[in-house]
Amino acid sequence: MTGPATDIVVMENIDKSFPGVHALKQVNFSLARGEIHALVGENGAGKSTLIRVLTGVERPESGTIRLDGIEVTIRSPLHAQSLGISTVYQEVNLCPNLTVAENLLIGRQPMKRRHVDWKTMNRQAREILQGLDIAIDVTQPLGSYSIAIQQMAAIARALVISSAKVLVLDEPTSSLTGHETDQLFRVMRKLRGEGIAIVFITHFLDQVYEVSDRVTVLRNGSVVGVYETAGLPRLTLITLMLGRSLTELDDINRHRIESSQHIGTESLLEAEGVGVFGSIAPFDLVLHAGEVVGFAGLLGSGRTEMAQLLFGIDQPTTGSMTMDGAPIRKFSPIGSIERGVALCPEDRKAEGIVADLTVRENIIMAMQASRGWFRHLSTSDQYAIAERYIKLLNIATPSADQPVKNLSGGNQQKVILARWLATNPRLLILDEPTRGIDVGTKADIQKLVLSLAEEGKSCIFISSELEEVLRTSHRIVVMRDRAKVSEFAGDVDEQELMQAIAGGES
Amino acid sequence: MSTLRSVIRVGGVRDSRLMVPIVALAAILLIDLIVVPGFFNLEMKDGHLYGSLVDILRNSAPTVVLAIGMTLVIATGGVDLSVGAIMAIAASVACILIDPRIIGLNLQGNITAVVGDPTYSFAPIPVVIVASLVVAVACGLWNGVLVSFGRIQPMVATLILMIAGRGIAQLITNSIKIIIFNDAFAYIGNGFIILPFSLFIVVALFAGAWLLTRRTAIGLFVESVGISFRASLYAGINEKRIKLFAYSFCGFCAGVAGLIAVSSIRTSDANQIGLYTELDAILAVVIGGTLLGTGGRFSLLGSVLGGLVIQATQTSMYAIGVAASAITAVKAVMVIIVIILYSRQVQDLGGRLVARLGRKQAAT
């Protein structure tokens, strides 16, 4: 099935280095016509670099790329497109304020006597989307549709403008709901049937098994192996990715049960009828020292709003909150930091890292903010703090002076964690701390949360992955439609929890 | 091997962002060396140092002072168009405090000498200086409030004072050009301690600004707010206060520049003082490598060098014999060059060249 005759892309002995990192080491990668080929590996394994080489963003130092058996040098993303290699990134690179049809056909819009022929354009756009089984109003602005539809439009555009033979999808599902993901997979299978080769990068192993034919595993810049997905047991795949087996997850479970004995009886933070009009319904919440409280709920159920309220980003319009029995009056991030509350925000890129600043500056930032403008941390203190957390959290960076934007997503998340641990918080709110992060780092973060709880800190753990919330939390708060609907403590039945999240009556 | 190291060092300078202003300054002086005979001549007269180089330093003083303040504003992701107008306001305040009686005379048009006494000043000179600077800071604060609390686009917010400022400056002096005879005040812009006195002001202001930003957390917070104000907010940084500070400091610098300017021409001319200097200040900051629009990392030294580049170009053009009216065209060319030099493509090209040189050296 995948003999050399059907291989459309063959990359051989690709080598690429960046300052301080050998990103790709003699990597071989081949892609056959009409297959969905998953590319998996931990953060920093080299997936993105390999894709950037294939799509002309980066040039390899050595190695050859053959397209349809002919050796090519891919000079730029534009050149890659003209060769029939198209990429759709996680963030959709289209214009949300233009209509769907304009987005699809801009640059090759049908003309009638020096004017754009809008009728034909809209008809063509409709036909293109029908080819992907999508029926939407193409005259509406693209931004009025869901991210999934926008992504589909991006795929459609890639197919239209470059008559793509190879389609690269970089983490396309990370911001999609289950239903939207299914829709995307339908489109992918349809394209596969038309002979298009698809490279699919994802952190979700379920999806690898659901949709891919073959899987290439990368680790530390090298190819570990290429496998037929169907014949590869899941545990083997994880072991291949990590280079070690994952009995750690059981350890975390045990850890949680043990640590539950240390939960304090005195409340650390109490919220009574606290809510924000139009954003989150009033709720009660009590947090104890040494306790991990999980927030479960669907996207948009109010988890993030609750976290932001507790951290003082938003002001409550009703109710009251006390910390150590004293009422809270100053609702602001800096007020929270002074009380010992920390928040790792959900949107790491926009609300977490300060991209152009160094790892060191990002780590000391919150600590410096709590000290004010003039009690300046000396440079040597800054290095000492940064180095300590780089070691403690195993942050993979060439040095503390590396701009944080050069780090992989998981390591950026660790930098944010370090920023907050440096302030020595008593309540740590983690909003989706493991999103877009590989399995190994996920386990690291879960372990860290539990050991912080053991030290007597209180944690709020918010995640879309139910499994993860169950594994790390002593108590689980369920959110639905911007309100707290129930609370579970002790041994929680997953079925019961799911029903609470979905709305239990049915 | 040693050449390899020097190549790497060249790469370091490129990254340090000071390369563009340093190379530009060197290029201009090189042209002067070739084209203008005697450009580098210096002579001592009455204990004062004279020469074209001294002229460049002295004439650049207001621009450099403005550029120092502008750097912080641009680093927060903003811009301050009103600095020229603030200069005029500060100048008017200083002049009215030195000689307020002139208003009562209700004179029409261009008035010249009324009080010819070189020691006369209504308010003591230190009071004059402090009062002008306080007014300038208040102007900056106004901009800061509009930007941080009003959430108005910096360009629009500061445009208000840019337009209204000159009117306010004229109101203060009742549209009269007040001529200053006070020698002590004139010393600010005309005095000499071997080198022009204004240079010492520039150096002191630069040192103060550097200490204030780099020996406290302010510099880091300014950069952080410029790069991502949301992330800064989540990290507990009060971005509003940082912006208030940056615009107020910029106002302060404009006040200093206004005092230097009015002192050196000895006349409060609300229509001329600081006219178009906001553009020079912005250009100086941009040449110095601080990114206009996006903000973030800033370099005070870069901005100072940028100011010198502008003034050196201007002085050289005069020395070569270019007409004054054509100078703006030269500045326009400078803007184009700066845009090209800081474009992504050229930066990438430079990076590739350095890398290739490095590889070649390594291979041999």
Side-chain angles (χ1 to χ4, degrees):
Chain A
M1 184 177 99
T2 51
T6 58
D7 279 348
I8 179 156
V9 174
V10 179
M11 300 172 83
E12 273 178 336
N13 302 324
I14 302 289
D15 227 78
K16 176 79 195 170
S17 294
F18 296 107
V21 210
H22 196 170
L24 293 177
K25 301 167 195 160
Q26 300 292 315
V27 167
N28 294 317
F29 179 73
S30 64
L31 187 62
R33 262 187 207 84
E35 76 164 342
I36 298 177
H37 195 132
L39 198 55
V40 299
E42 289 201 273
N43 291 319
K47 298 175 306 245
S48 325
T49 313
L50 185 63
I51 289 314
R52 289 159 75 86
V53 167
L54 177 62
T55 53
V57 182
E58 304 277 358
R59 286 206 216 174
E61 273 130 34
S62 64
T64 55
I65 302 173
R66 267 179 291 146
L67 197 64
D68 270 334
I70 303 155
E71 192 171 327
V72 288
T73 309
I74 301 170
R75 286 191 298 271
S76 67
L78 211 61
H79 186 214
Q81 262 180 25
S82 67
L83 292 171
I85 303 171
S86 278
T87 317
V88 176
Y89 292 100
Q90 200 170 344
E91 292 90 14
V92 179
N93 292 325
L94 295 178
C95 311
N97 49 344
L98 296 186
T99 69
V100 176
E102 284 165 336
N103 267 297
L104 286 181
L105 291 160
I106 199 162
R108 52 175 53 198
Q109 59 276 34
M111 306 296 273
K112 193 161 78 187
R113 269 197 248 125
R114 314 187 70 192
H115 292 286
V116 175
D117 182 357
W118 295 103
K119 239 188 208 157
T120 316
M121 178 159 157
N122 290 338
R123 203 196 61 235
Q124 286 181 352
R126 250 190 314 273
E127 284 166 5
I128 292 162
L129 288 176
Q130 262 159 19
L132 300 176
D133 292 333
I134 302 164
I136 55 171
D137 182 357
V138 295
T139 58
Q140 291 298 309
L142 182 69
S144 63
Y145 290 105
S146 67
I147 301 282
I149 294 289
Q150 295 186 32
Q151 228 151 23
M152 248 58 101
I155 292 171
R157 178 169 168 84
L159 296 172
V160 174
I161 57 170
S162 58
S163 52
K165 292 177 277 186
V166 177
L167 187 62
V168 180
L169 302 174
D170 190 359
E171 296 269 1
T173 55
S174 59
S175 47
L176 301 190
T177 63
H179 174 70
E180 290 170 335
T181 305
D182 290 343
Q183 204 173 358
L184 176 71
F185 285 173
R186 245 194 342 266
V187 170
M188 284 168 66
R189 290 195 190 100
K190 191 161 193 305
L191 293 174
R192 170 176 65 187
E194 290 162 14
I196 290 171
I198 299 177
V199 183
F200 177 51
I201 301 176
T202 185
H203 276 301
F204 299 106
L205 296 186
D206 287 344
Q207 297 179 357
V208 171
Y209 281 99
E210 194 181 336
V211 79
S212 76
D213 305 308
R214 283 198 301 166
V215 52
T216 292
V217 183
L218 282 168
R219 189 169 74 228
N220 291 330
S222 304
V223 173
V224 179
V226 186
Y227 308 89
E228 300 282 335
T229 314
L232 182 68
R234 179 182 291 242
L235 213 58
T236 317
L237 177 60
I238 294 174
T239 313
L240 286 168
M241 284 168 63
L242 294 177
R244 59 191 155 120
S245 66
L246 245 180
T247 51
E248 280 172 311
L249 295 184
D250 294 333
D251 291 347
I252 292 170
N253 258 323
R254 209 171 315 121
H255 197 154
R256 186 196 76 230
I257 292 161
E258 280 166 15
S259 66
S260 62
Q261 280 144 29
H262 304 294
I263 296 174
T265 45
E266 289 277 294
S267 67
L268 177 71
L269 183 132
E270 272 184 55
E272 244 189 84
V274 172
V276 180
F277 183 76
S279 165
I280 184 158
F283 63 90
D284 298 333
L285 185 70
V286 182
L287 299 173
H288 304 95
E291 185 180 31
V292 181
V293 177
F295 281 13
L298 299 172
L299 213 71
S301 61
R303 301 171 314 191
T304 298
E305 286 78 1
M306 203 167 184
Q308 288 179 342
L309 181 57
L310 293 175
F311 184 63
I313 298 280
D314 298 320
Q315 310 274 329
T317 48
T318 59
S320 64
M321 256 158 66
T322 59
M323 188 142 178
D324 300 319
I328 294 171
R329 291 204 180 79
K330 194 175 166 192
F331 284 93
S332 68
I334 189 68
S336 301
I337 294 170
E338 280 160 9
R339 284 190 290 274
V341 180
L343 168 68
C344 289
E346 179 189 28
D347 190 341
R348 191 190 313 141
K349 277 212 170 70
E351 294 162 353
I353 59 160
V354 183
D356 289 329
L357 294 186
T358 64
V359 171
R360 163 177 59 94
E361 288 166 322
N362 268 284
I363 289 178
I364 59 112
M365 187 167 278
M367 192 180 183
Q368 181 64 65
S370 71
R371 291 166 65 100
W373 291 7
F374 296 106
R375 281 172 59 220
H376 186 230
L377 283 163
S378 73
T379 314
S380 57
D381 285 349
Q382 294 187 10
Y383 276 109
I385 294 163
E387 298 294 350
R388 183 162 84 235
Y389 284 102
I390 288 172
K391 202 171 289 166
L392 182 74
L393 299 181
N394 242 329
I395 300 173
T397 173
S399 82
D401 289 323
Q402 190 75 7
V404 78
K405 65 180 171 192
N406 294 353
L407 269 55
S408 65
N411 284 304
Q412 289 179 353
Q413 186 66 53
K414 286 180 180 178
V415 169
I416 305 296
L417 265 172
R419 174 191 291 171
W420 290 112
L421 293 181
T423 64
N424 196 19
R426 292 188 299 153
L427 169 60
L428 183 61
I429 306 168
L430 301 166
D431 195 354
E432 295 279 3
T434 60
R435 173 181 289 176
I437 283 182
D438 59 73
V439 190
T441 313
K442 261 183 195 170
D444 287 347
I445 288 177
Q446 292 163 13
K447 272 191 283 188
L448 180 76
V449 166
L450 284 167
S451 43
L452 289 173
E454 256 182 347
E455 288 170 24
K457 295 185 197 308
S458 175
C459 286
I460 291 177
F461 192 91
I462 305 174
S463 173
S464 311
E465 285 180 54
L466 208 50
E467 213 185 314
E468 190 176 67
V469 177
L470 281 164
R471 195 154 55 224
T472 39
S473 313
H474 299 120
R475 193 148 56 91
I476 295 172
V477 170
V478 176
M479 309 283 299
R480 191 173 66 232
D481 298 332
R482 299 178 175 274
K484 177 180 164 183
V485 288
S486 53
E487 223 178 276
F488 294 84
D491 272 328
V492 184
D493 181 52
E494 194 172 336
Q495 277 312 356
E496 220 177 306
L497 192 60
M498 294 250 269
Q499 278 196 348
I501 290 170
E505 291 80 26
S506 57
Chain B
M1 198 59 213
S2 67
T3 25
L4 172 63
R5 230 171 273 137
S6 71
V7 166
I8 289 168
R9 239 193 339 266
V10 167
V13 173
R14 193 180 65 85
D15 290 341
S16 82
R17 293 168 301 172
L18 289 181
M19 178 138 120
V20 170
I22 288 173
V23 168
L25 202 55
I28 293 159
L29 293 179
L30 190 70
I31 293 170
D32 289 330
L33 185 69
I34 297 164
V35 179
V36 188
F39 192 83
F40 287 85
N41 288 358
L42 292 172
E43 57 177 323
M44 283 293 267
K45 248 190 262 169
D46 318 323
H48 300 172
L49 203 58
Y50 286 102
S52 298
L53 290 181
V54 178
D55 284 346
I56 291 175
L57 289 175
R58 179 183 161 172
N59 294 336
S60 69
T63 309
V64 169
V65 166
L66 287 180
I68 289 172
M70 187 69 79
T71 307
L72 296 191
V73 167
I74 289 183
T76 64
V79 71
D80 188 347
L81 296 179
S82 69
V83 287
I86 297 178
M87 279 175 75
I89 292 175
S92 289
V93 170
C95 291
I96 203 72
L97 284 174
I98 290 172
D99 190 2
R101 288 182 305 173
I102 211 155
I103 304 300
L105 297 176
N106 199 12
L107 298 157
Q108 298 294 318
N110 283 354
I111 179 67
T112 49
V114 174
V115 186
D117 181 0
T119 59
Y120 172 78
S121 173
F122 172 76
I125 294 301
V127 174
V128 170
I129 292 171
V130 170
S132 314
L133 293 179
V134 165
V135 170
V137 169
C139 291
L141 200 59
W142 158 260
N143 286 331
V145 168
L146 290 184
V147 171
S148 62
F149 290 97
R151 291 248 170 269
I152 302 175
Q153 282 274 332
M155 200 170 283
V156 177
T158 57
L159 193 64
I160 296 170
L161 195 58
M162 180 191 180
I163 293 166
R166 290 193 186 276
I168 294 169
Q170 293 202 341
L171 272 179
I172 292 171
T173 59
N174 202 12
S175 304
I176 294 167
K177 287 184 186 171
I178 303 175
I179 299 197
I180 302 297
F181 292 93
N182 188 296
D183 279 344
F185 187 72
Y187 192 82
I188 299 172
N190 297 308
F192 265 92
I193 308 173
I194 300 175
L195 289 168
F197 180 69
S198 53
L199 285 189
F200 297 96
I201 298 176
V202 172
V203 171
L205 190 73
F206 172 72
W210 192 86
L211 289 173
L212 191 58
T213 52
R214 296 306 185 194
R215 281 284 163 264
T216 69
I218 293 174
L220 176 67
F221 290 170
V222 164
E223 290 177 340
S224 170
V225 166
I227 296 164
S228 170
F229 87 89
R230 257 195 104 59
S232 306
L233 174 75
Y234 275 76
I237 295 167
N238 192 330
E239 48 101 18
K240 290 195 173 80
R241 234 181 266 168
I242 284 289
K243 283 184 179 159
L244 279 183
F245 167 79
Y247 284 89
S248 306
F249 183 74
C250 190
F252 173 80
C253 291
V256 173
L259 288 179
I260 294 174
V262 73
S263 158
S264 64
I265 62 167
R266 289 172 170 245
T267 310
S268 78
D269 188 344
N271 283 325
Q272 287 303 317
I273 284 179
L275 194 61
Y276 302 135
T277 48
E278 57 278 340
L279 301 180
D280 280 351
I282 294 168
L283 183 57
V285 174
V286 172
I287 293 175
T290 306
L291 296 177
L292 182 64
T294 50
R297 291 288 195 198
F298 67 87
S299 164
L300 289 171
L301 187 59
S303 301
V304 171
L305 290 172
L308 289 177
V309 168
I310 296 173
Q311 193 56 50
T313 313
Q314 207 155 323
T315 306
S316 308
M317 290 302 131
Y318 285 133
I320 290 166
V322 177
S325 52
I327 294 287
T328 45
V330 174
K331 275 189 194 159
V333 173
M334 272 170 81
V335 172
I336 293 169
I337 293 174
V338 167
I339 290 168
I340 292 170
L341 280 181
Y342 281 112
S343 69
R344 181 84 181 275
Q345 287 86 343
V346 172
Q347 298 270 306
D348 285 354
L349 187 73
R352 275 213 294 278
L353 284 178
V354 170
R356 188 175 299 168
L357 266 164
R359 268 209 299 282
K360 232 179 236 169
Q361 298 287 351
T364 50

